[in-house]
């Protein structure tokens, strides 16, 4: 038997050093900060940059104008990066990912074309084909968000034509890509204008074609908006 009084003293009960909190669900408050939709800005940026690059591919602007076109396209990087950040804040990971990737593509285009780097058209050709694969994957998951989906669908053949034209040097492919760029600009302009009208009037004015979760997000009540909010990024403990 030990003669040390401290050794003979009873120890703390199991778990006595831990503090167990009561059920906190009744005390939990989640504060959301509404923001204006950044998507019209994103779509208008796509439209303007597509017009500039499309005119260059069609030959309406000459080779000597490449650097000027690159400088005009460069602000699209900053604008779409802003749209991506706001979309992440609005918990729209699809729109945020798409706009962020668009921002990176405009930056790459502006740097390569503006610097006149050797092998630029071929490198951009490979870049566009890689972007084509990304766009196809995004199109597979964005169909409920019909505006995004439609812009992607009309962009896919343009990325294909641009990529193949850059690798092969075929003028007809480059001209085709330029014409498709104008089509992309028209579709993106329609989507931006429709979303702006919808935001101003509080209802759909021009058809957007939302379906599934995208439709419920706009037409549903507050209970629909807050469904599964505890599992959203920024609320749950980890991503």
């Amino acid at each position: 038997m030990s003669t040390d009084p401290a050794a003979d003293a009873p120890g703390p009960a199991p778990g006595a050093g831990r503090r167990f909190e009561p059920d906190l669900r009744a005390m939990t408050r989640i504060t959301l900060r509404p923001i204006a939709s950044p998507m019209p800005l994103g779509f208008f940026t796509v439209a303007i940059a597509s017009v500039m690059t499309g005119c260059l591919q069609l030959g309406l602007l000459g080779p000597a104008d490449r650097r000027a076109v690159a400088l005009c396209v460069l602000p699209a990087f900053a604008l779409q990066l802003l749209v991506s950040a706001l979309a992440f804040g609005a918990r729209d990971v699809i729109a945020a990912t798409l706009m962020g990737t668009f921002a990176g593509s405009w930056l790459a285009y502006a740097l390569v074309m503006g610097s006149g780097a050797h092998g630029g058209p071929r490198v951009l050709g490979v870049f566009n084909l890689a972007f084509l694969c990304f766009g196809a994957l995004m199109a597979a998951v964005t169909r409920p968000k019909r505006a995004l989906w439609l812009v992607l669908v009309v962009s896919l053949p343009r990325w294909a034509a641009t990529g193949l034209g850059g690798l092969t040097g075929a003028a007809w492919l480059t001209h085709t890509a330029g014409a498709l760029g104008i089509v992309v600009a028209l579709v993106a302009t329609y989507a931006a204008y429709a979303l702006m009208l919808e935001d101003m009037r509080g209802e759909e004015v021009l058809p957007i074609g939302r379906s599934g979760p995208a439709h419920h997000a706009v037409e549903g009540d507050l209970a629909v908006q807050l469904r599964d909010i505890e599992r959203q990024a920024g609320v749950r403990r980890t991503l």
Side-chain angles (χ1 to χ4, degrees):
M1 178 179 294
S2 171
T3 58
D4 186 356
D8 295 334
R18 298 177 61 188
R19 181 180 179 184
F20 293 92
E21 297 288 352
D23 188 350
L24 299 180
R25 286 177 293 182
M27 297 182 286
T28 300
R29 297 293 182 269
I30 298 174
T31 303
L32 303 177
R33 183 176 63 182
I35 63 171
S37 173
M39 296 311 294
L41 174 61
F43 284 134
F44 274 132
T45 302
V46 170
I48 295 171
S50 296
V51 167
M52 298 303 300
T53 56
C55 288
L56 183 62
Q57 290 174 314
L58 285 170
L60 300 177
L61 299 173
D65 301 322
R66 288 182 178 178
R67 182 164 297 179
V69 171
L71 292 175
C72 288
V73 168
L74 185 58
F77 157 70
L79 291 175
Q80 294 210 272
L81 188 63
L82 172 63
V83 172
S84 176
L86 292 175
F88 275 120
R91 299 181 296 122
D92 192 333
V93 67
I94 292 177
T97 301
L98 185 63
M99 289 297 164
T101 310
F102 272 152
S105 71
W106 295 128
L107 178 62
Y109 178 89
L111 292 177
V112 172
M113 297 299 288
S115 65
H118 178 71
R122 292 195 307 275
V123 172
L124 287 177
V126 175
F127 181 83
N128 276 275
L129 291 178
F131 213 78
L132 174 65
C133 298
F134 159 79
L137 292 174
M138 289 295 294
V141 298
T142 57
R143 190 161 187 173
K145 302 172 72 67
R146 203 57 60 88
L148 278 173
W149 179 79
L150 192 56
V151 171
L152 273 172
V153 166
V154 296
S155 296
L156 292 178
R158 190 200 183 191
W159 292 329
T162 302
L164 294 175
L167 289 175
T168 64
W172 70 272
L173 282 171
T174 301
H175 292 160
T176 300
L180 290 171
I182 303 301
V183 176
V184 171
L186 292 174
V187 173
T189 299
Y190 172 83
Y193 185 65
L195 289 173
M196 287 186 67
L197 283 179
E198 181 181 85
D199 189 71
M200 291 173 60
R201 301 189 183 182
E203 60 181 2
E204 185 177 284
V205 180
L206 296 176
I208 295 294
R210 293 186 183 93
S211 63
H215 174 76
H216 295 317
V218 175
E219 301 295 337
D221 57 16
L222 184 60
V224 173
Q225 311 303 321
L226 300 181
R227 185 178 299 163
D228 296 329
I229 190 68
E230 69 275 10
R231 299 182 182 87
Q232 296 291 327
V235 178
R236 62 177 186 255
R237 179 172 296 180
T238 65
L239 294 177

